[in-house]
Amino acid sequence: MIGGGFAGLATAYFLARDSKLRIVVLEQEKKLGGHASGRNAGMIRQALTDPYLVRLAKEGKEALKTADRKGWSRIQFQANGSLLLAGGDSEKELKKTRDALRKQGILSHWLSRDESVSRVSVLGEAKFSKALFSPTDAMVDIKGLLQEFIHALKTRGVRVLSGRKIQALSRTHSGFLIRTAKQYFYAKKVVNAAGAWAGIVGEKANATVIPFKAYRRHLFYADPVKGFKKAWPFVWDLSHEVYFRPQGKKLMLSPCDKILFRLDVHKRRGTGTDPKMQQVLIKKLRQLSGSFEGLKIRSKVAGLRTMVPDGRFVIGEDPKLKGFYWVAGLGGHGVTTAFSVGRLASNLILGRKVDTKLARVFSPRRFVK
Ligand SMILES: Cc1cc2nc3c(=O)[nH]c(=O)nc-3n(C[C@H](O)[C@H](O)[C@H](O)COP(=O)(O)OP(=O)(O)OC[C@H]3O[C@@H](n4cnc5c(N)ncnc54)[C@H](O)[C@@H]3O)c2cc1C
C-alpha cells in the first residue's frame, strides 16, 4: 500500500479484515497524516450533487457513526448536521443537492431565514435566500480517526512503515519490485493511494496516465464569535464560497480556495500557507455578514485536494498494468468516504462481488483513450 492517508489506511483495513494477505503500508513522511488526511475540515458531508458520490458519502457516514459507537471513540462523531446557504445562481446547485439527497433517502429540509438564524445566531445579518439543513451530516476528529485506523491495522498485524518514500517501482514476472531509500519490497499487488502524488507514482510504475490535479486549500482557526455554540452545524455558503464549523472551543473557517499546485514544478510539499489567503477569507466573510467583524484568527494550515476533471474518484485495477490498483482522487471527500472507498477498493482487489455500476463509474478504465 503506497500512502498512509485515509485512502491507504482504509483500504488496508478492509483487506486485513477480509483476507489473509500480508499487507505493508509505506508512507514517505516520518508521520502518518502529514498531508490531506491530517489537514482537513473533518466535515462529513453527504449534501452533494453527484449521485454516486452521495451514495459513497452516505455509506461512509453510516460506517463512521457505527465505528464510533462500537469502540472507535476517538472519532468523536458529532451529528450536528450541515446548513448549506445559497443566493442567486447558487440556488440551482442547492436544489440539485436536495434532489440528490432525496433520491438516496437522506433527510434534508429547507429552513426559513428565522429558522436558520435560530440554529446559527451569527447568520443574523447574513445575505442568503435559500438554506438547506441536512440533519444527518456530521463532523469528526480527523486525528482520532487516523489513530483508530492505525491501531486497528497494527492489531491485525499490518506493518505500517513511515519514512519510506517509494523511489522506483518495476514489474517482475509475478509481481512488483518496490525500492525505497532503506530497502526493497516485493509485492504481488500494489495499491497506489499516494494522494497528490498518485500521478507521479503511476508514472514510476508505467501505469495508465491519469490527469490528476492538486489544489491547495487553507483552513483558519479563530476565537469563537458572539453566540458561538459547539452544537452548530457546519455552515457552507455556496454563493460567497466560504464555510465554517465549530472545532472544540474554536471556529474553523475556510475561504474555499482552489489554487492549482504543481508538485512537479514546485518540488514542494504543498503544506505551506499563503499569507494573502487570510485577506481573502475576511473579504468573503464580510460579503456574507457583518457579524464576523473583528474575528481573531489564531492559526492556519493548508493541504492539497486532488481530483480528476469529472470530480469522481479513481478506484480499481489499472487497465494496462495487472496487479496495480488505484485508490486516489478523493478530492474534498476522503474523510466522509474513507470507509466506503476502502471497502469498495478492497472488494475489487480481492475479486469480490461489487456493485458493477459503482465500479464502472470510478474505474481508471475511463481514462483509456
Ligand atoms: C483543506 C482541506 C479540507 C478538507 N476538508 C474535508 C472535509 O471536511 N471532509 C472530507 O470528507 N474531506 C475533506 N478534505 C479531503 C480529504 O482530506 C482528502 O480527500 C483525503 O484526506 C485524501 O486522502 P488520501 O489518502 O487520498 O491522500 P493523503 O492524505 O494525501 O495521503 C496520501 C499519502 O501518500 C503519501 N505518499 C505520496 N507519495 C508517496 C511515495 N512516493 N511513497 C510513499 N508515500 C507516498 C503522502 O505522503 C501522503 O501521506 C479536505 C482536504 C483539504 C486539503
Side-chain angles (χ1 to χ4, degrees):
M1 185 70 59
I2 305 174
F6 286 126
L9 297 175
T11 306
Y13 168 75
F14 283 103
L15 286 172
R17 195 195 71 173
D18 297 341
S19 77
K20 293 201 161 34
L21 291 176
R22 284 172 58 210
I23 304 158
V24 184
V25 178
L26 301 174
E27 165 56 45
Q28 65 180 356
E29 303 291 351
K30 287 203 182 84
K31 275 176 85 179
L32 275 81
H35 291 287
S37 299
R39 301 169 163 270
N40 64 72
M43 299 181 297
I44 306 307
R45 177 176 169 184
Q46 305 157 97
L48 303 164
T49 48
D50 184 316
Y52 297 101
L53 293 184
V54 175
R55 255 178 85 177
L56 286 187
K58 182 183 180 189
E59 189 192 324
K61 187 272 300 179
E62 289 298 335
L64 282 163
K65 188 171 157 189
T66 308
D68 179 283
R69 282 199 191 136
K70 290 195 170 161
W72 287 32
S73 57
R74 285 178 284 190
I75 296 178
Q76 291 186 36
F77 186 89
Q78 254 177 279
N80 290 18
S82 69
L83 183 61
L84 267 56
L85 308 176
D89 286 350
S90 60
E91 280 194 14
K92 273 191 221 119
E93 186 184 339
L94 205 54
K95 284 181 187 148
K96 209 172 156 196
T97 304
R98 163 93 163 132
D99 289 344
L101 290 174
R102 245 207 308 231
K103 280 193 187 122
Q104 292 300 326
I106 300 169
L107 276 179
S108 70
H109 48 265
W110 299 111
L111 293 188
S112 68
R113 164 169 286 277
D114 286 351
E115 286 166 334
S116 305
V117 176
S118 80
R119 278 183 191 275
V120 184
S121 56
V122 76
L123 295 176
E125 298 172 30
K127 296 174 197 74
F128 63 93
S129 50
K130 278 233 163 274
L132 184 69
F133 182 61
S134 306
T136 62
D137 275 353
M139 301 166 206
V140 295
D141 182 318
I142 52 160
K143 299 272 188 284
L145 180 59
L146 279 167
Q147 284 167 7
E148 294 290 7
F149 269 124
I150 295 164
H151 175 73
L153 289 176
K154 290 190 173 161
T155 310
R156 289 180 188 273
V158 174
R159 288 164 70 205
V160 182
L161 306 176
S162 52
R164 304 295 206 287
K165 180 174 177 167
I166 307 302
Q167 295 178 330
L169 210 163
S170 53
R171 194 90 180 83
T172 67
H173 65 287
S174 59
F176 296 88
L177 190 65
I178 299 127
R179 176 162 60 83
T180 70
K182 292 183 184 160
Q183 64 204 111
Y184 281 89
F185 295 86
Y186 167 77
K188 282 207 168 148
K189 293 183 180 188
V190 167
V191 183
N192 179 2
W197 291 265
I200 295 171
V201 168
E203 228 173 88
K204 287 189 202 299
N206 207 12
T208 300
V209 175
I210 298 188
F212 290 105
K213 286 211 163 87
Y215 298 94
R216 191 161 62 166
R217 176 160 289 179
H218 288 68
L219 297 174
F220 293 86
Y221 300 84
D223 287 350
V225 286
K226 197 163 166 251
F228 170 87
K229 288 209 175 89
K230 281 187 187 171
W232 277 357
F234 66 81
V235 177
W236 197 311
D237 175 19
L238 300 176
S239 59
H240 301 100
E241 296 189 315
V242 61
Y243 65 70
F244 62 90
R245 60 157 280 194
Q247 162 93 39
K249 290 181 183 158
K250 293 243 176 285
L251 195 64
M252 176 198 281
L253 310 100
S254 175
C256 296
D257 43 319
K258 188 180 175 188
I259 308 219
L260 184 65
F261 193 88
R262 296 274 310 269
L263 286 155
D264 53 338
V265 173
H266 295 303
K267 302 276 178 216
R268 284 186 280 121
R269 297 160 69 243
T271 51
T273 54
D274 177 349
K276 288 195 291 294
M277 273 307 146
Q278 186 159 328
Q279 282 318 310
V280 175
L281 173 71
I282 300 292
K283 194 171 161 203
K284 288 187 173 191
L285 289 172
R286 221 169 254 153
Q287 285 164 351
L288 170 66
S289 162
S291 311
F292 291 96
E293 223 42 67
L295 187 75
K296 281 205 171 50
I297 292 175
R298 299 293 181 188
S299 60
K300 56 181 180 285
V301 297
L304 298 175
R305 299 175 315 127
T306 306
M307 51 195 90
V308 290
D310 65 13
R312 288 179 172 164
F313 307 158
V314 182
I315 306 172
E317 190 171 31
D318 189 277
K320 68 172 199 189
L321 195 58
K322 216 172 149 30
F324 185 89
Y325 291 83
W326 296 83
V327 189
L330 305 189
H333 314 290
V335 185
T336 309
T337 60
F339 276 104
S340 47
V341 162
R343 194 192 321 258
L344 175 63
S346 165
N347 284 340
L348 287 166
I349 294 163
L350 298 176
R352 289 178 154 203
K353 203 165 169 251
V354 293
D355 179 321
T356 46
K357 180 80 189 159
L358 212 55
R360 200 170 54 235
V361 162
F362 294 111
S363 169
R365 203 164 277 283
R366 68 192 193 274
F367 299 100
V368 177
K369 293 205 178 73

